Amino acid sequence: MAKHTITLIPGDGIGPEIVAATVRIIEASGIDVEWETQILGAHALEKLGTTLPEAATDSIKKNKVALKGPLTTPIGKGFTSVNVGLRKALDLYANVRPIRALPNIPCKYPDLDIVIVRENTEDLYAGLEHTVVPGVVESIKIITAKASTRISRYAFEFAKREGRRKVTAVHKANIMKLSDGLFLECFYNVAKEFPKIEADDKIIDNCCMQLVMNPQQFDVMVMENLYGDIVSDLCAGLIGGLGLAPGANIGEIGAVFEAVHGSAPDIAGQGVANPTALLMSGILMLRHIGERDAADRTEKAMLDVFAEGTTITKDLGGTAKTADFANAIIDKLKQ
Ligand code: NAI
């Protein structure tokens, strides 16, 4: 069995709790893994004088894969987002967010199966802002043909690999004719290379309404950074909440797997956080490193625990603690 060295970033708030639970489950799946723990964000600033230490990025570059807990970003002031910094530093250009309902979890669309592919490196989300004169701020949206083409190609290749039927581009090209217009033009250029996969597009506002009313029409969806940030939270709401939405940040250099949700400071330290989203990110990671069998078994154990419906965390209406939920999955893995 191949040994894997994986960079582990416990993160802030509930991060260390859900990371510990996920690590225990992944280890119980039987893969041979060594974790290389690295710190980022406020902890790194305190200890190492920088929020994004080279030791962490070097570790990911070397191992090519990381499992990451959420990091807190101060609002309005303080240091800029380390999540955004990490994605930029490693050029993790594709943010892949599968949206799939779980058994027994009350939600609007139990049969939903959508994958959001979000461009991760540019757009308004790059946070290029400055004060022009006091009281006037300029925020710059940069869209390039290179990044738009690259993310569109990733979405179509993903659709082809995973046997999916359609890719939808989401945009506001009716208003932002140049920037979103360029994104859309690149999307349709790439679509020509994939004649067997249907390609269409939706304007973002209509798309949000359609997602709430008739989301089954969507399959793979590709969009710019800011739209992807918002739409993926909307989609998480359709399947039962943020505690259930996994994510992968993929680039040429490496891949970082993390939940869509943040550090949930309101429940940190109580041992009640739901580790499902991070665990599902871990399952994506297992598939990414070629451990398909361990991924399938872990996923089945998790789905079985949900199907039984007796060990459910507080956010989903249960009383189980983070560790109880992890133990229930580990018990299934050992059966
Ligand atoms: P959040 O996702 O941390 O929390 C939103 C709500 O969902 C809270 O009520 C929280 O208790 C609940 N929640 C989130 N994850 C949960 C889980 N696993 N189990 C149970 N309940 C859960 O969003 P918020 O409050 O806007 O952000 C908090 C911090 O997280 C901010 O500093 C933000 O910048 C950061 N953040 C980090 C991300 C990352 O590292 N990738 C992503 C999103 C936010």
Side-chain angles (χ1 to χ4, degrees), residues 103-165:
N104 256 336
I105 300 304
C107 68
K108 292 204 161 44
Y109 295 104
D111 56 345
L112 202 57
D113 183 8
I114 291 176
V115 178
I116 293 175
V117 177
R118 165 186 172 192
E119 204 290 321
N120 231 358
T121 63
E122 54 183 30
D123 186 18
L124 272 174
Y125 209 91
L128 294 172
E129 297 185 321
H130 60 269
T131 301
V132 181
V133 291
V136 180
V137 165
E138 194 171 36
S139 190
I140 301 168
K141 168 163 172 156
I142 291 185
I143 297 296
T144 64
K146 184 180 169 217
S148 303
T149 301
R150 182 165 73 160
I151 197 67
S152 298
R153 186 163 288 120
Y154 185 91
F156 279 100
E157 272 168 3
F158 176 91
K160 190 175 165 191
R161 192 170 66 237
E162 301 290 323
R164 296 204 167 240
R165 72 192 151 83

Side-chain angles (χ1 to χ4, degrees), residues 14 18 68-75 81 83 87 97 125 229 233 242-244 249 258-268 272-278 313-316:
I14 59 170
I18 56 173
K68 172 184 163 296
L71 294 165
T72 300
T73 306
I75 295 175
S81 168
N83 295 310
R87 290 168 199 163
R97 296 179 164 186
Y125 209 91
D229 183 47
D233 269 31
L242 272 179
L244 306 174
N249 297 291
E258 63 178 340
V260 169
H261 64 71
S263 55
D266 52 334
I267 56 163
V272 296
N274 183 357
T276 303
L278 187 69
T313 47
K314 199 172 157 194
D315 55 311
L316 301 176

Side-chain angles (χ1 to χ4, degrees), residues 15-197:
E17 301 164 50
I18 56 173
V19 164
T22 303
V23 161
R24 284 205 295 127
I25 297 167
I26 288 177
E27 286 178 351
S29 78
I31 68 158
D32 192 2
V33 58
E34 187 185 324
W35 304 99
E36 222 171 78
T37 303
Q38 295 290 337
I39 51 169
L40 288 176
H43 287 120
L45 188 61
E46 213 173 274
K47 281 200 174 156
L48 307 168
T50 167
T51 55
L52 190 56
E54 253 176 49
T57 47
D58 284 351
S59 166
I60 301 172
K61 281 181 193 162
K62 172 172 68 75
N63 298 328
K64 310 230 175 303
V65 60
L67 184 67
K68 172 184 163 296
L71 294 165
T72 300
T73 306
I75 295 175
K77 53 185 166 43
F79 58 80
T80 53
S81 168
V82 183
N83 295 310
V84 175
L86 185 66
R87 290 168 199 163
K88 271 193 199 157
L90 298 172
D91 197 21
L92 302 170
Y93 68 91
N95 186 193
V96 183
R97 296 179 164 186
I99 302 289
R100 212 172 53 149
L102 293 170
N104 256 336
I105 300 304
C107 68
K108 292 204 161 44
Y109 295 104
D111 56 345
L112 202 57
D113 183 8
I114 291 176
V115 178
I116 293 175
V117 177
R118 165 186 172 192
E119 204 290 321
N120 231 358
T121 63
E122 54 183 30
D123 186 18
L124 272 174
Y125 209 91
L128 294 172
E129 297 185 321
H130 60 269
T131 301
V132 181
V133 291
V136 180
V137 165
E138 194 171 36
S139 190
I140 301 168
K141 168 163 172 156
I142 291 185
I143 297 296
T144 64
K146 184 180 169 217
S148 303
T149 301
R150 182 165 73 160
I151 197 67
S152 298
R153 186 163 288 120
Y154 185 91
F156 279 100
E157 272 168 3
F158 176 91
K160 190 175 165 191
R161 192 170 66 237
E162 301 290 323
R164 296 204 167 240
R165 72 192 151 83
K166 180 166 90 165
V167 182
T168 303
V170 180
H171 62 91
K172 190 78 183 172
N174 52 331
I175 302 297
M176 279 167 277
K177 293 182 194 296
L178 286 182
S179 53
D180 285 18
L182 177 62
F183 181 84
L184 199 55
E185 186 189 324
C186 295
F187 169 80
Y188 277 116
N189 279 340
V190 172
K192 288 182 204 145
E193 298 168 23
F194 299 85
K196 290 195 180 136
I197 296 169

